[in-house]
Amino acid sequence: MPAIVKTKPAYGAELVEVDIPKPGPGEVLIKVLATSICGTDLHIYEWNEWAQSRIKTPQIMGHEVAGEVVEVGPGVDTIQVGDYISAETHIVCGKCYACKHNRYHVCQNTKIFGVDMDGVFAEYAIVPAQNAWKNPKNMPPEYASLQEPLGNAVDTVLAGPIVGRSTFITGAGPLGLLGIAVAKAAGAYPVIVSEPSEFRRKLAKKVGADYVVNPFEEDPVKFVMDITDGAGVEVFLEFSGAPKALEQGLQAVTPGGRVSLLGLFPREVTFDVNNLVIFKALEVHGITGRHLWETWYTVSSLIQSGKLNLDPIITHKYNGFDKFEEAFELMRAGKTGKVVFFPHK
Ligand code: NAD
Ligand code: ZN
């Protein structure tokens, strides 16, 4: 079968023919119906510093997935052939201090498929049964595949009250766009988005942002203050990983407001903690991964409610992997929302 493989420690990847794997104990084999590209896949493709320190080649890339179970390994009793599943990509140990406190999303022994082992950019893929999430049969595969990053967005947006609350979102990359969709579905108003890329500001509007601003041309803090009559927003959600955006968001949030930080910063960040966090009495949440499994229930229900506006976010669909390089380059250039492959053309 064809698979997108990180064949060597250098820029890029290759489409190669590999054997269909056999599920081992506790594993299932799925026919991949849809698989989407995550920013992490792009980092592996680009072979950035993080990828160099973490990834062992050769390895099949990819982790966001929806598929049909075609074979189950020994000892699997929770999943059956024919089940339609997605997958939590964090394989947690269940034994560490965090896991024993039901904080699986911060398991200190987390392994990730497509990062620490073969992934899902292939026609068939192995998923540990403990990570499988059963989907309703009528959920389109491209939505089902997006549930994993949607889980990040849900944990970011719903870390506190949001209905009827003014919300400022920095960064409308794939994750920020999912965040906008969740915030709108949950009843946030107004949703104000800061994003330098014109293409992505337009997408943000299509997904439901009430106001968009280019932070490189206009002061986004003044923009927010004008809309909120000088009060600032109740909720600030950071999805960009840009140090400047973090500072602007902390300035734009009202004293006593709520902050969720998902974006990862390229280096240490310096800002005025006294005046921007402590004296404003902000509630600050660091967001990592997704809560297992509460967040998956929320994501699945939100999709089924029909209230999540996902279609404008899925900007590129590819039948097969033949054009995978084009897909990665478009994503690198910031010219995409989410990119989805359907491996079986
Ligand atoms: P992305 O790089 O595609 O999107 C970031 C967006 O921020 C881009 O559209 C960019 O134009 C915009 N941006 C840049 N500077 C800005 C500024 N000053 N103000 C406002 N916007 C600005 O990334 P993504 O895939 O959407 O992911 C978003 C972030 O979330 C990344 O930093 C990623 O590393 C992080 N992430 C965190 C977790 C977690 O568990 N915490 C999981 C996945 C991704
Ligand atoms: Zn653990």
Side-chain angles (χ1 to χ4, degrees):
M1 63 170 181
I4 302 176
V5 180
K6 186 78 194 174
T7 46
K8 40 182 185 281
Y11 185 92
E14 286 178 87
L15 189 58
V16 293
E17 223 17 71
V18 300
D19 292 337
I20 295 177
K22 261 318 254 179
E27 294 176 341
V28 302
L29 179 71
I30 59 169
K31 177 181 178 187
V32 178
L33 300 176
T35 177
S36 32
I37 306 182
C38 167
T40 303
D41 302 318
L42 190 57
H43 292 326
I44 296 170
Y45 186 85
E46 292 173 325
W47 204 238
N48 74 357
E49 252 176 66
W50 166 83
Q52 290 175 31
S53 70
R54 179 89 176 246
I55 307 297
K56 297 195 174 47
T57 58
Q59 190 173 355
I60 299 173
M61 297 173 62
H63 58 264
E64 297 175 7
V65 71
E68 185 190 331
V69 176
V70 291
E71 196 179 337
V72 302
V76 173
D77 54 9
T78 49
I79 299 292
Q80 291 168 355
V81 170
D83 282 348
Y84 171 39
I85 66 161
S86 288
E88 167 55 48
T89 52
H90 288 193
I91 303 168
V92 299
C93 77
K95 296 174 189 149
C96 70
Y97 181 88
C99 284
K100 292 276 188 216
H101 285 76
N102 298 326
R103 299 177 194 140
Y104 299 104
H105 62 302
V106 284
C107 167
Q108 296 303 293
N109 303 309
T110 300
K111 289 200 165 40
I112 304 176
F113 53 89
V115 172
D116 301 307
M117 60 200 71
D118 275 339
V120 298
F121 284 167
E123 288 186 350
Y124 294 86
I126 297 287
V127 170
Q130 71 172 41
N131 283 55
W133 170 261
K134 279 188 216 172
N135 294 315
K137 292 276 182 205
N138 62 357
M139 185 180 286
E142 60 268 39
Y143 291 2
S145 179
L146 288 195
Q147 288 177 108
E148 196 255 15
L150 260 170
N152 294 112
V154 158
D155 275 4
T156 309
V157 177
L158 303 183
I162 191 84
V163 58
R165 309 239 166 164
S166 50
T167 299
F168 183 44
I169 291 179
T170 48
L175 275 164
L177 290 167
L178 293 172
I180 296 166
V182 174
K184 288 305 291 184
Y189 185 85
V191 173
I192 307 165
V193 176
S194 174
E195 164 62 57
S197 146
E198 188 188 358
F199 173 78
R200 286 181 165 170
R201 281 199 306 280
K202 281 193 179 146
L203 278 182
K205 276 289 229 186
K206 277 196 200 163
V207 178
D210 300 293
Y211 300 90
V212 294
V213 60
N214 179 348
F216 294 175
E217 283 181 356
E218 241 181 292
D219 176 3
V221 182
K222 181 174 182 305
F223 188 81
V224 168
M225 290 304 171
D226 286 348
I227 293 166
T228 56
D229 281 338
V233 282
E234 279 293 334
V235 180
F236 163 44
L237 309 172
E238 208 311 289
F239 281 98
S240 78
K244 192 79 192 152
L246 170 64
E247 192 168 5
Q248 290 166 339
L250 292 173
Q251 287 166 342
V253 69
T254 202
R258 196 245 303 175
V259 177
S260 281
L261 306 178
L262 178 89
L264 298 172
F265 301 93
R267 55 189 173 276
E268 288 175 10
V269 181
T270 307
F271 63 93
D272 183 351
V273 181
N274 292 358
N275 285 305
L276 290 181
V277 177
I278 299 172
F279 295 139
K280 288 184 84 166
L282 297 182
E283 177 189 329
V284 181
H285 298 261
I287 307 295
T288 183
R290 298 145 297 277
H291 284 85
L292 303 184
W293 287 85
E294 305 93 299
T295 300
W296 281 85
Y297 283 100
T298 307
V299 166
S300 179
S301 294
L302 264 174
I303 292 177
Q304 291 176 74
S305 77
K307 289 195 173 152
L308 269 187
N309 188 11
L310 295 178
D311 289 332
I313 301 175
I314 304 170
T315 53
H316 293 74
K317 295 181 182 178
Y318 289 94
N319 289 322
F321 293 123
D322 298 344
K323 292 190 174 170
F324 82 94
E325 282 169 315
E326 172 189 296
F328 275 97
E329 293 303 333
L330 282 171
M331 206 166 154
R332 273 195 89 204
K335 291 184 179 147
T336 63
K338 288 299 285 189
V339 177
V340 183
F341 295 108
F342 302 94
H344 301 266
K345 301 175 209 182

